[in-house]
Each structure stands twice: as structure tokens, then as C-alpha cells.
Amino acid sequence: MIETSPPPQPAPPPVFAVQKRRLRFLGLTLDDTIKAFFGGNALVAVVVLALITVFLFREGAGFFGQNRTNLEIYRQAGLEYVDFIRRQTDDHTALTRYLSDLRLRQVMILTERERRPLDEVNAALAPFDAFAEQFSATVDPLRALLSDLTEQVTAIKTKFIVTQDRKEERRQLLAEGKPAEADAVKIDTIDFATELKPILGALPLYKETSREFSRKLVALLDSVPSLPSPELHPRMEKLKQLARNYAAGFPAIERDMEAWEHTFPVPAWETFTAFLFGRQWLTASFWQDWYGILPLLIGSLLVSAVALALAVPLGVGAAIYVNQIASTREQRLIKPCIEFISAFPSVVLGFFGIAVLGQALRLLSQQPWLSWMPGFPYSERLNILTAGCLLALIAVPTIFTLAEDALNNVPRAFKEASFALGASRLQTITRIIVPASLSGIISAVLLGLGRVVGETMVVLLCAGNRIAIPDFTSGLAVITEPVHTMTGIIAQEMGEVVRGSIHYRALFVVGLVLFVLSLLINYAAQKIVRRYKLSIG
Amino acid sequence: MVNAAPATMETRPPAPPSAPALAAKVSPRFPAVAAAAASEGRNVIVDIDDVDFFYGATQALHDITLGIEAKKVTALIGPSGCGKSTLLRCLNRMNDLIDGTRLGGGTIKIHGVDIYQPDVDVIELRKRVGMVFQKSNPFPKSIYENITYGLRLQGLKDRRKLDEIVERSLRGAALWDEVKDRLQASGLGLSGGQQQRLCIARAIAVEPEIILMDEPCSALDPVATAKVEELIQQLRSRYTIVIVTHNMQQAARCSDRTAFFYLGKLIEYADTREIFTNPAHAQTEAYVSGRFG
Amino acid sequence: MNAATHVFRSTAGARRGERAIFWLFRAATWFVLLCGAAVFLNIFVKGSRTVFKAEAPFINTTFLTEAPESLYIFEWEGKKREMGDREFRAFKEQNPAAAHVATESYVYSAGGIWPCIVGTVLLVVGSMTIALCLGVSAAIYLNEYARDGAFIRFVRLAILNLAGVPSIVFGLFGFGMFVIFFGWNVSLLAGWFTLAFMVLPVVITASEESLKAVPKGFREGSLALGATKWQTIRKNVLPYALPGILTSSILGIARVAGETAPIMFTAAYVVRDKLPWDVDRLGDFFFQGVMALPYHIYVVSSKIPQNDYTERVQYGTAFVFLFIVALIATSSILLRNHLRNRYKW
């Protein structure tokens, strides 16, 4: 057969007109415009995230500069110099506290165990009390000197701040175009070297006082009365050792003070380290403001740790139970209930903590049969434990839902194959189901952590709000101490600060840290989930 | 590319150089087909020429060349994954909706218009090339609204005209007698076969020239299948139909021309009778006789 | 064959161990539910004492319809009297001798919480409107238009991360951007946008899920009939996705209503005498702060002492708030289950 020409055909009429001109606006058809509109909306998420970053930086950026100035004044006005002495006296106060703690223990032993009447106990402790009295009095001359110096340097600092304010006033007047008024603003010049002369001049006096103090202290240690209970003797020995070490440190302080110059520069990195590793968050203080995030960060982490320690076993356990063990009827009852718990507003839980849980936990801690628990009994109603318990209730639904999803995603065939090989249900769960969904569960826990770290109201209301690094020396008992958190501090102080002040900016930097932390947690969770997806298939 | 056996090739004389403009160009690789098309004065309206098609990096169609004739039923057969549905979906550019697909080479012309040219409006194209899907997909609206959906999109509002078209389309789809009393009932309430016929009615309501059917009976029971096949027989006088099917008997029963695909290549394209009684290629024979696939 | 010795005999010890462990899991589950129930019941029982009354109309209308007042407690003619601010002033006018009576007073402990309810409703309505507009549009783009690519992955990443940002950070952001940079001050508008952005990921995810649930066939069928993309979405996708979108977004409402941290410095006042509609110009409406239930709970539980008198308002507010949020959440959960059963195509 041959491919011959087709029979003569008329030229095809334009029967198939599929080229239609559509209305165009700026080169876009209506459909393109609609698509662009929706696309723009999808961009909002990106834009918001970018804006959050921008505004946190915008408001927080000035902090580090201002904090450097803050640290410079601290040095130039001599506050740092005086703080050498202050630390010395503070350490002494710590020793005195150790002594009174010792007395308290002794009294407890005598009254509760040996059932001796109180006046008899007091009489027995009379020599000890006399010693303690003398011990605490040794520091008095030094303290007097300290308070003199404090007054002087505070005056210098105030003077400096006034000049700064005047400068600012003049700058504003100039900006407003009022040179005459600007000239009228009198600005004193401050020569720190002259101002500091009397303070540095007090060094010989300090040395004398300090050496006298040291001599008295060490002499006193030779005549320490022994306590009635032998079991406390090691503690007494420890005190002696501590006090000797303390006194031995005095020459070092003297050397530091001699070497100190108000002109030492404050390097730029110090403002960062002072923030990230600063152990104090102290604001609106008469002496010196410190913006160290460490106590807040530690508070946040401790509360989260307690919350997760409770929520992970409960949440994951519940997920395993509901997904693998429970009957369909029980499933249908439990799932909405847990979802319902997730809808509890955090402020209501916080209120519950204040009104009921704090008190209930304290009462529980005072039960004798629970005294083996670390830190029990305790007296602070609002503390890490209270906040942690409530946060656990917030984290459980998150962990439960996500972990249940992960368990659900394990292919049925895995389970059936395991059963077919003669494994029991428990073996199947522990060896097949949980390992297969492990990364999903871990990411669930991470997202729960993110939820807990970012939670505000519960910690603000229930964590006790004491800005200090809690005492880790007693081990796990740390969870019965009150703390303050990053979220809590923002919520508490943001409403009261002056806009643009260093304190205001510091709060934004804390927000920035929180933001970065949440992104990191999220990133880790996503990373784990992605790997998990690959492994399943 | 799987070629016809060289021996057969040689027995056929080469195409004369005088072959005129190929409005009805058919594969030169299948001279028999081409010659038949030419000699019988076939009216080819869809001209697929040397088409390559890709899903991402995977090539789904290799050098497909075939012509589809007007007012005939053309069946595309072949084992799963051979590319027949892909080719079908190229004809109204439904593949555009799938990420990462592209026409790698070749042209598809309908009435001489290359439908992959940028100035072609896919919306207009789809109005002219209707489609019926494997799984019947009536919208969760009333039967009446299902039929008028396409017309309303074109802005037709005249109630009387709509009523008329609904009746005509449903009659055309052999569904009128079964549903005329419940036009306002949901299309989802119909049986599977009725749903599929509703979808056909919906497609013919917009008066397309070509109807593409992607395994329209694969989800239907034999009785419903028979009805749809009967319908296809009725429609062939007015529409050009391209049907993808897995069911060889169906292809044999209701198509005029059959194209056999294997692994993304067109193996053989000929009159249905020829394919089923005297296939030119061993693979075709093996497939239609049920030895593989 | 002796039943006790056949090879398929179950080993009692292993089975008992397994059951014990299963019971442990069960106990963990029910312990969680118990804790939730304890919180709920505590607030429900104590709060209902404030909100409900023994005599008709059984609901304490004063508490629900009046503004908070200070509570004065004093002894008068041998009897202990408790009076709200206004009542006490009227009483002093009637009995001039009472002017110098020794009183104990507690702020916010008398009157009601009407302005807070109004404020919360306004905040929720406004922010959800914004969030739904933005979120549904974004979801339509992601599910209907977008093709997988770097841009879309970036957008999805942003949504995921936005979902993890702590609410207090949203508060800071809203404060920095709307309150200060835009100069809106503490206002409804600032609160709306802050809350809307916070809840945006929830709305987008919920909307996308609902859009995904609409079968592909609806889209293909419509497109094959010559519909444009937008016609397809508007006529054949959105109508079927909308119920799902709305119900899932109700959970977003619960979140918006329940959050305190984002509105603390963007929209909420501790106390405000005027109700939101008492404005001179319509424009002022958007630039006024409001009282809100969650913030009020924070204020009454942390700024005033705890005793029998203040407990009433504390528990009453918590009750009303929890009731509203629980109502929203329950209806969302029930509606969703209902819809899941109804829309099966």
C-alpha cells in the first residue's frame, strides 16, 4: 500500500478557534491577578516572621550599646571599685547565715529529738550565741567604710547622669532650633580622676580596716565553742575552714584594688557576655543595674524540665495506650477529652495554681510519709514544682496528639507481621511500634518543650517570680525554689518600663533569645521528622 | 522505539515523494496505516506528531505519532503504565495540572492548531475537548446543576435554554428517562453507571467536538458497562471519541480504530478489526490474545 | 489431651506482666484526664456560686452585666455590710454618720465583668476575621495554585516556624510594631493584628486540610468543562471546603480567646470605665483599648489579695471565661466529627 495524497480537501475553516484574547490588566489576566492575590497572602507568613525578627532587633538592638555605657559608668564612677569591698562584706554575711543555719539545726535536734525545753536549749547554746555575735560584729568597721564610699560614688554617678541628661536636653533644643536656650543649659564637665581621688585615697584606710578585720576573725576562730551535738561538729569544722579561706582571700582583694584603674576600657564583647552570662537581673536599683539573662534562662529551663519530666511519660504513655491498647469506645472518649484539655486557657491554669494547686502541693510536701522527696517539706507556695505541674498539663495534650499521630503512621503491616511471628502485644509495641515511630515521638516531645518554654501566664502567676539563680547545692531539691522566667519577666516588666530605656531594650533582647530558642526547637523537631519520613518510606 | 519487523517494512514500497501536504498525516513508521488513512480519505482532526512527554525526569511517551479521525471511536489500549492515559490527558492539556510535566518534543495539532502554542487558551481548548474520567466525578450538586455547570461558566443564564440543553444532554447520554423526575436530586445519589453517564451528559452539554474517555467503565459492573458502551455507539455519529481502556473486548466492541501502546511507545495503530484479527506486530498479538499485560 | 499441657498453653506469668503494664498505661491516661477534670470541676463548682443564684432568675445578672467595682466591707449597726462602690456612696449620703466608718476595701471585687466579656468578644471577632481572610487565601494559594518549589518550601517553613513562636514574643512584636511604630497605642486594632498573626498558622493548616479533603475529581471535572482555575475554586472547591475550614478554625478562636500574653501590652486595659461603643467618632472605636477576660483574670488573681471576698470575683471570672472557651472548643470538636461523617465522597 502506498501513502498517497488525501482526497482534495478545502482549506479547513477556522473551526477550532482556541486562541482567545482575555482581558488584561498590567499584562495579567483576571486569573493571574487572583493567583497573585492569593500568593501575596501566602507570603504573609513569611513577612510576619521577618517582621518579628526586624522589630525584635529594632527595639532590642540599642541594648548592647546602652549596656556598654552602663558598664562604663560602673567603672568610671568607681562603683566597681567599691564593689570589691561590698563583695567582701557580702561573703561575710554568707558566713553568718551559715552560722545561724547551724544554730537552727542544733535547736531542731535538741527540741525535737531530745525533747528538751526551749529555755534549756537556749542556755546550752549561750556560748555559741556569744561567738556568733562576735563573729558578725567583726565586719562592722569595714561595713562603715563601705557605706561612706558607697555614698561618695553614688554622688559621682548621679552627677554624671545629670550631665548626660543636660546634654540630651541641649541636643533636643538644638534640634528644635533654639540655640539660645540650648546655650543656657549648663553642663558641668566631670573629671573622673579628680572625683575619684578621695575614694582611691581611702585605700590605706581600707587596708588597715581589712587587716584588723582579718586578725580579729582568725583570732575568733581559735575560740570556737563546741556544739552539744557531735553530729554537727563536722559542719562547725567546715565553717572554720570556710572562714579561714575567706580571710586568706583578703590580700588578693587588696591587690585587685591597688591594680584597679577607672580608665580601664570596657571592651565591646563584654556587653554581650555580661548579658548572656550575667548572673544577676537587677533593675531600678539605687546602685547599679545588671541585665544578666542567666537566672531567667535557668528558671525557664528548670520549669520546662519539671514539666517535661511529668508530661513525657504521661503524654507518650497515654498515646501508646489510646493508639495500641484501648478499645475503640475508650479511644472515642479519651481523644476529645484530651483535646478539650488543650483548650484550657493558660491564665485559668495559672489562677488554679495560685488558688488551689500551690497550697495543695505545699500541704502534700509537709506529709511526713513524703519527706523522702527532695526538697520536701517546703514553705514557698509558688515555685518551680507548682508551675511545672501546671505546664505539664499544657504539654500533655500537645505531646499526646503528635505522638499518637506518629504511632498511627506506623504501617499496619509491621504490626501484623510481628503478630504473625508470635510476638505478644507488649513485645510488638516495645520492639516494633515504638521504635518505628520514635523520631515522631521525639519531635512531639520537642514541640511540647517549645510550647512549655514559650508559655507565659502560668509561670508568671505560679513560678514565684524570684529573680535569682536557684541553689543547686541541694540537688533535686532545687525544684522547690521560686524562680523567674524569660517569658514571665517580659510580661511583668514590659508594662512598667520607659520606652527606649535600657531596661525596655533588655526585655526585647530577652524576647529575641526566646524567639531564637523557639526557632531552634522547631528546627530540631522538623529535622527529626524529616529523617523519620525517609526511614518509613 | 520498537519497530515493525524489517521484513514487513521491506515488502512495502516507500512513500512516493509526491505525497502532498499532510493535513491527515499519519505515522510514516506505519506505512500501512498511513496509506490506509490516505487512500480511504480519512478525516484526521487530531494530529499527534512525534510527541515526547516527561514527568520530571521520567519519559512517559516516546515519539508518539498518530492521527485521530473525526466522528470515529479511537481506542488506546496497552498494559498499565504504558502511557495511554498520559497521551489522552495531553489532548486537552489536563497534564498541565500535574507538577513537573512537560511536552519534551513534537506537536499536537487539532484542526491544524498546535494546542501547545503559548497563545492557546487552555480554557477554550477544554471547552472544545471534553473529558470523562475513570472514576465518575459528579459534583455534589443536583443533576440539573451538574449538567448546566459548564454552560453557566460560559455565562448562559436563560432558563428555558438551559432546560432544553439539560434534556438534550441527558437524552444524548441515555439517562433522561431514568432521572427526568428527579433533576433536582443530588448527582451523588445515582448509581455508579448512572453517575458515569451523568458525567458524559455533563461533558456533551457544552457541545465539545472531541470527547476523551479515560477508562470510563473500569469502576462499573458489567450491566452498567454495557449501557455506557451502548451510549458510546450512539455518540460516535456526532462526536470524535478517544477512549482509553484496559478491557480488550470493550475496545473490540466499540472502537473503530485501535492504538496499542507499550512502555510509552506506540506499537501499532490500525483499524480495530485488523488489530484484533491480524496484528502486524508480535507484541500486539501477544497482548490482545491475553498472553501478557 | 490434657488441656494443661498442650503446646499452645499460655504462660500465665508473662500474661500477667503484660496486663500489669497495660494497666500502667491506662492509669497514666486516666490520670491526665483526672487532672483536667479536677481543674475544670474546681472552677466550675466554685465559679457557679458567683454566676448562679438560688432564686429566680438563677443567674447573677449583676455579675454578667455590670462593670467591676471596688468592694467595701464595714460594720454598721452591729452588722457586717458588703457594698459595691456606688452602693456605698449612696449609703453614705443616706447615713452621714457612715462617712468615717472603718472599711476594708478590695478593688474589682464587686460589680461584674461585662466590659471584659464585651472586650473579649470584640477581640475574637476582629482578629478571627483578619486571620480567616489571610489564612484561607494563603491556604488556597498553597493547595490550589502553588507548584512545589523553593518558594513554597520557604513559605511552608515560615508557617511551621510561626506556629512555634511563643505568644509573648507575638506580644512584644505587636507592641513594637503596632503600638509604637505605627503609633496605634494600646488599641483594639493592635490587638486584632497581633492575635491574627498569632493564630494564622492554625488557620492556614486547618484550611489546607479542608481543601485537601475535597476530591481531585471535582477540580478535574470542572476544569475539563472549560472552567478557569478561579471559577473551579469558587464554584466547586471552596463551597465544599468551607464548613471544614470554619469548624477547624473554631479551635483557633479558642486559642485567640484564651491567650493573655499577646494582648497584655497591645490591647488590654486593667480597667476602663467606658464601654467600647461610647466613642465620639467612629474612627476612635478602633484605637481604644478594651478590658478582656483573660487579662482580668490575671489582674484579679495576681494584684489583689486572696480571701473569701475576692474569691468570688476570681472564680466567677474564671468560670465565665472557661465556660466560653470550653463552649467554643466543644462545639468545634463535635462539629468536626459531625462533618467528617457527613462529607464522604
Side-chain angles (χ1 to χ4, degrees):
Chain A
M1 281 185 276
I2 300 167
E3 187 180 284
T4 51
S5 63
Q9 246 186 23
V15 285
F16 205 70
V18 287
Q19 294 96 333
K20 184 177 172 186
R21 286 266 154 256
R22 288 187 176 265
L23 207 61
R24 274 169 191 279
F25 176 72
L26 293 174
L28 296 171
T29 62
L30 178 66
D31 250 44
D32 291 339
T33 321
I34 291 169
K35 181 179 174 182
F37 168 75
F38 287 140
N41 279 303
L43 260 181
V44 168
V46 180
V47 171
V48 170
L49 208 59
L51 281 177
I52 292 178
T53 321
V54 166
F55 274 90
L56 289 182
F57 268 108
R58 198 182 106 93
E59 299 296 322
F63 167 75
F64 292 106
Q66 284 181 350
N67 197 28
R68 193 174 173 199
T69 320
N70 178 33
L71 293 173
E72 271 169 3
I73 299 171
Y74 176 64
R75 177 158 297 163
Q76 286 170 351
L79 273 68
E80 189 180 33
Y81 184 74
V82 178
D83 263 349
F84 285 122
I85 311 175
R86 188 182 303 278
R87 227 166 294 135
Q88 195 180 355
T89 57
D90 285 351
D91 288 348
H92 183 265
T93 315
L95 286 176
T96 340
R97 212 175 297 134
Y98 189 92
L99 265 182
S100 40
D101 177 60
L102 209 55
R103 182 179 199 277
L104 192 70
R105 282 168 191 276
Q106 181 63 72
V107 172
M108 292 279 266
I109 290 173
L110 292 181
T111 54
E112 290 189 3
R113 202 186 303 157
E114 301 178 13
R115 301 267 166 224
R116 307 237 297 255
L118 200 58
D119 15 331
E120 193 185 322
V121 172
N122 280 337
L125 283 177
F128 180 83
D129 288 345
F131 166 74
E133 186 106 335
Q134 282 175 335
F135 187 87
S136 78
T138 46
V139 79
D140 286 350
L142 192 66
R143 207 164 254 159
L145 177 68
L146 174 68
S147 92
D148 278 356
L149 290 176
T150 298
E151 247 166 62
Q152 290 175 39
V153 292
T154 313
I156 300 175
K157 187 182 176 186
T158 316
K159 213 162 161 188
F160 177 77
I161 288 170
V162 169
T163 6
Q164 291 297 98
D165 290 350
R166 291 254 172 83
K167 274 188 192 152
E168 178 62 24
E169 194 184 336
R170 176 189 256 176
R171 204 185 51 77
Q172 272 179 9
L173 285 171
L174 281 174
E176 285 164 22
K178 296 174 184 163
E181 280 99 329
D183 283 345
V185 176
K186 212 170 134 274
I187 297 175
D188 298 324
T189 47
I190 293 189
D191 178 19
F192 285 111
T194 351
E195 299 278 351
L196 280 175
K197 208 162 252 162
I199 292 160
L200 295 176
L203 187 61
L205 178 61
Y206 163 74
K207 282 183 180 167
E208 197 183 310
T209 324
S210 171
R211 282 173 193 161
E212 176 69 20
F213 171 37
S214 164
R215 209 171 43 247
K216 268 197 210 158
L217 196 67
V218 175
L220 204 57
L221 288 180
D222 293 335
S223 58
V224 174
S226 73
L227 285 165
S229 303
E231 58 185 287
L232 290 176
H233 288 173
R235 283 180 184 270
M236 201 68 209
E237 286 308 310
K238 193 179 169 206
L239 173 82
K240 279 190 203 167
Q241 196 50 47
L242 285 173
R244 288 210 176 90
N245 289 350
Y246 169 63
F250 288 4
I253 298 174
E254 270 176 34
R255 276 197 301 281
D256 283 346
M257 287 174 74
E258 275 164 1
W260 185 84
E261 292 279 357
H262 76 279
T263 49
F264 284 161
V266 176
W269 51 263
E270 204 172 304
T271 168
F272 290 99
T273 49
F275 175 74
L276 287 177
F277 306 111
R279 301 169 63 86
Q280 284 189 78
W281 180 278
L282 198 63
T283 55
S285 123
F286 80 102
W287 176 247
Q288 168 69 13
D289 288 354
W290 293 104
Y291 302 95
I293 200 175
L294 220 48
L296 308 174
L297 187 66
I298 289 176
S300 279
L301 293 182
L302 276 177
V303 173
S304 308
V306 171
L308 281 193
L310 292 168
V312 169
L314 289 177
V316 176
I320 291 175
Y321 179 73
V322 168
N323 193 277
Q324 298 291 332
I325 304 169
S327 63
T328 324
R329 248 184 62 211
E330 215 175 351
Q331 268 184 29
R332 234 179 277 152
L333 176 72
I334 294 172
K335 273 165 110 176
C337 284
I338 292 191
E339 252 182 276
F340 182 79
I341 294 178
S342 79
F344 275 9
S346 59
V347 70
V348 170
L349 287 179
F351 165 68
F352 179 77
I354 284 192
V356 180
L357 188 72
Q359 184 62 21
L361 281 179
R362 181 168 63 182
L363 282 178
L364 195 69
S365 82
Q366 283 158 357
Q367 300 301 315
W369 53 275
L370 272 176
S371 57
W372 54 272
M373 292 270 287
F376 280 22
Y378 61 84
S379 54
E380 290 280 357
R381 187 165 58 97
L382 302 176
N383 56 28
I384 297 177
L385 188 64
T386 315
C389 287
L390 288 165
L391 283 180
L393 198 58
I394 289 179
V396 162
T398 309
I399 295 177
F400 170 82
T401 315
L402 294 168
E404 217 253 345
D405 268 357
L407 290 168
N408 228 357
N409 281 339
V410 177
R412 234 187 118 70
F414 284 21
K415 194 170 160 182
E416 284 168 358
S418 169
F419 281 144
L421 289 172
S424 72
R425 258 163 98 188
L426 184 64
Q427 284 167 329
T428 307
I429 291 170
T430 54
R431 304 206 183 158
I432 302 290
I433 310 274
V434 172
S437 54
L438 194 62
S439 32
I441 293 176
I442 293 175
S443 97
V445 170
L446 277 176
L447 290 175
L449 172 69
R451 183 101 172 56
V452 165
V453 169
E455 177 48 54
T456 311
M457 297 322 286
V458 166
V459 289
L460 178 61
L461 289 169
C462 300
N465 295 359
R466 190 174 79 190
I467 313 174
I469 297 180
D471 179 17
F472 281 96
T473 50
S474 44
L476 266 183
V478 71
I479 62 168
T480 59
E481 289 189 44
V483 287
H484 215 317
T485 55
M486 295 193 287
T487 49
I489 202 99
I490 299 174
Q492 191 179 36
E493 296 184 347
M494 197 66 213
E496 297 155 10
V497 295
V498 182
R499 267 171 218 179
S501 68
I502 176 171
H503 188 180
Y504 167 89
R505 297 196 188 286
L507 291 177
F508 269 91
V509 179
V510 174
L512 195 62
V513 171
L514 208 52
F515 180 59
V516 171
L517 201 64
S518 71
L519 290 189
L520 283 181
I521 292 172
N522 233 359
Y523 175 78
Q526 282 162 30
K527 192 108 194 168
I528 287 169
V529 164
R530 214 167 302 144
R531 189 172 293 171
Y532 151 79
K533 268 188 184 148
L534 287 179
S535 74
I536 286 285
Chain B
M1 175 78 209
V2 180
N3 275 308
T8 18
M9 290 286 276
E10 272 159 29
T11 60
R12 287 168 186 163
S18 63
L22 300 176
K25 183 183 155 205
V26 207
S27 168
R29 293 187 189 87
F30 297 94
V33 176
S39 62
E40 289 162 32
R42 289 181 169 163
N43 181 15
V44 170
I45 61 164
V46 181
D47 177 11
I48 301 161
D49 185 13
D50 205 17
V51 162
D52 291 322
F53 194 84
F54 296 86
Y55 288 107
T58 336
Q59 188 165 2
L61 295 177
H62 300 263
D63 307 321
I64 304 295
T65 297
L66 96 160
I68 289 164
E69 295 168 47
K71 309 272 166 80
K72 289 270 165 69
V73 179
T74 306
L76 312 181
I77 61 169
S80 300
C82 67
K84 51 195 189 319
S85 284
T86 307
L87 181 66
L88 190 78
R89 293 167 67 96
C90 280
L91 299 183
N92 66 347
R93 290 182 59 180
M94 283 303 269
N95 279 332
D96 291 14
L97 303 175
I98 301 168
D99 280 349
T101 56
R102 71 197 156 84
L103 191 70
T107 55
I108 298 175
K109 287 183 183 163
I110 300 180
H111 284 300
V113 177
D114 183 347
I115 59 166
Y116 275 83
Q117 283 303 307
D119 66 338
V120 167
D121 189 61
V122 276
I123 307 304
E124 291 299 315
L125 172 68
R126 288 177 192 151
K127 283 180 193 164
R128 312 292 294 273
V129 184
M131 189 163 190
V132 176
F133 295 85
Q134 178 172 8
K135 192 170 172 290
S136 62
N137 56 352
F139 306 139
K141 303 174 189 284
S142 69
I143 293 169
Y144 186 89
E145 279 176 74
N146 259 290
I147 306 280
T148 55
Y149 182 83
L151 301 163
R152 284 182 202 267
L153 290 177
Q154 293 171 28
L156 187 62
K157 289 204 182 76
D158 182 355
R159 189 80 192 180
R160 206 157 352 123
K161 195 125 189 238
L162 287 175
D163 288 347
E164 200 183 300
I165 295 177
V166 167
E167 180 170 349
R168 198 175 64 218
S169 309
L170 284 172
R171 280 187 193 283
L175 194 60
W176 174 252
D177 293 330
E178 292 163 57
V179 300
K180 64 182 176 205
D181 302 324
R182 43 174 179 149
L183 289 178
Q184 296 308 324
S186 167
L188 287 173
L190 298 175
S191 72
Q194 287 174 325
Q195 285 191 6
Q196 195 59 291
R197 278 180 285 147
L198 175 63
C199 291
I200 295 174
R202 190 174 69 187
I204 61 181
V206 289
E207 294 288 327
E209 230 183 303
I210 303 168
I211 300 176
L212 310 175
M213 297 187 177
D214 190 354
E215 299 185 33
C217 302
S218 67
L220 303 182
D221 61 60
V223 177
T225 304
K227 281 203 170 169
V228 172
E229 280 177 16
E230 204 184 309
L231 174 59
I232 293 172
Q233 291 302 327
Q234 290 167 19
L235 293 173
R236 75 199 303 174
S237 59
R238 275 176 293 146
Y239 303 96
T240 304
I241 296 173
V242 185
I243 177 169
V244 164
T245 178
H246 256 123
N247 180 337
M248 248 119 19
Q249 281 74 38
Q250 186 170 57
R253 276 195 300 266
C254 59
S255 73
D256 302 302
R257 306 271 290 164
T258 298
F260 172 60
F261 289 80
Y262 185 60
L263 294 178
K265 288 165 191 148
L266 175 62
I267 306 297
E268 190 165 355
Y269 178 41
D271 277 348
T272 301
R273 211 176 326 119
E274 184 137 348
I275 288 262
F276 280 92
T277 54
N278 186 20
H281 201 283
Q283 265 176 310
T284 318
E285 195 190 349
Y287 184 72
V288 297
S289 61
R291 263 182 276 140
F292 87 99
Chain C
M1 190 165 139
N2 186 347
T5 60
H6 73 81
V7 282
F8 299 130
R9 196 185 65 232
S10 82
T11 40
R15 279 194 62 85
R16 221 176 292 139
E18 191 176 285
R19 286 180 73 144
I21 289 171
F22 285 176
W23 269 98
L24 209 66
F25 279 119
R26 183 176 214 173
T29 312
W30 286 97
F31 178 70
V32 172
L33 297 185
L34 209 69
C35 291
V39 177
F40 188 75
L41 286 179
N42 174 265
I43 288 166
F44 195 86
V45 169
K46 289 203 183 170
S48 55
R49 281 183 217 150
T50 313
V51 179
F52 301 113
K53 292 190 298 196
E55 68 269 22
F58 302 112
I59 288 180
N60 185 347
T61 45
T62 323
F63 186 68
L64 292 179
T65 57
E66 284 187 9
E69 287 179 359
S70 294
L71 175 73
Y72 291 90
I73 300 146
F74 55 94
E75 235 168 86
W76 183 252
E77 292 167 350
K79 265 197 290 182
K80 199 148 200 177
R81 304 284 191 109
E82 293 169 27
M83 283 182 193
D85 202 9
R86 269 175 304 164
E87 198 187 348
F88 183 50
R89 244 176 284 155
F91 179 80
K92 278 196 287 191
E93 269 170 33
Q94 278 178 4
N95 309 294
H100 301 292
V101 72
T103 59
E104 270 179 83
S105 75
Y106 299 103
V107 280
Y108 315 132
S109 299
I113 51 168
W114 175 237
C116 309
I117 298 176
V118 169
T120 295
V121 169
L122 281 178
L123 280 172
V124 168
V125 169
S127 55
M128 279 317 283
T129 310
I130 297 171
L132 277 176
C133 289
L134 289 174
V136 174
S137 305
I140 288 176
Y141 183 78
L142 291 175
N143 199 50
E144 305 293 325
Y145 286 100
R147 304 244 158 143
D148 201 28
F151 171 70
I152 288 311
R153 274 201 295 276
F154 187 58
V155 170
R156 288 192 190 282
L157 194 71
I159 293 170
L160 263 176
N161 281 316
L162 205 59
V165 172
S167 54
I168 187 83
V169 173
F170 277 104
L172 273 183
F173 157 69
F175 182 66
M177 177 151 157
F178 304 120
V179 177
I180 293 183
F181 187 69
F182 288 178
W184 292 349
N185 292 324
V186 173
S187 62
L188 265 181
L189 212 53
W192 284 348
F193 276 98
T194 311
L195 288 173
F197 287 158
M198 188 194 72
V199 82
L200 195 59
V202 179
V203 175
I204 294 179
T205 318
S207 309
E208 247 200 292
E209 239 164 58
S210 308
L211 286 170
K212 276 209 184 88
V214 176
K216 222 171 82 189
F218 290 11
R219 298 183 182 92
E220 284 188 333
S222 170
L223 287 170
L225 288 171
T228 63
K229 193 107 194 178
W230 171 233
Q231 284 171 328
T232 302
I233 293 170
R234 190 172 42 126
K235 297 205 166 159
N236 229 2
V237 177
L238 265 190
Y240 310 122
L242 215 53
I245 292 176
L246 291 180
T247 41
S248 315
S249 299
I250 297 180
L251 265 188
I253 297 183
R255 172 119 198 256
V256 163
E259 279 292 353
T260 320
I263 57 169
M264 278 176 106
F265 355 102
T266 57
Y269 279 153
V270 176
V271 66
R272 188 161 189 270
D273 294 334
K274 280 200 274 186
L275 281 167
W277 40 81
D278 292 337
V279 283
D280 302 332
R281 288 179 301 125
L282 189 67
D284 291 346
F285 178 78
F286 299 100
F287 296 100
Q288 60 177 342
V290 290
M291 293 180 75
L293 275 173
Y295 192 54
H296 194 65
I297 293 179
Y298 166 65
V299 171
V300 295
S301 57
S302 68
K303 308 270 157 140
I304 58 177
Q306 271 206 315
N307 56 39
D308 289 346
Y309 301 109
T310 58
E311 198 182 89
R312 279 181 304 201
V313 66
Q314 288 167 342
Y315 270 102
T317 316
F319 172 82
V320 171
F321 185 44
L322 193 61
F323 183 78
I324 292 176
V325 172
L327 201 69
I328 297 171
T330 319
S331 60
S332 146
I333 293 169
L334 290 180
L335 259 174
R336 199 181 45 201
N337 289 348
H338 176 70
L339 274 183
R340 266 190 202 149
N341 296 336
R342 215 183 102 199
Y343 285 99
K344 289 235 170 91
W345 17 63

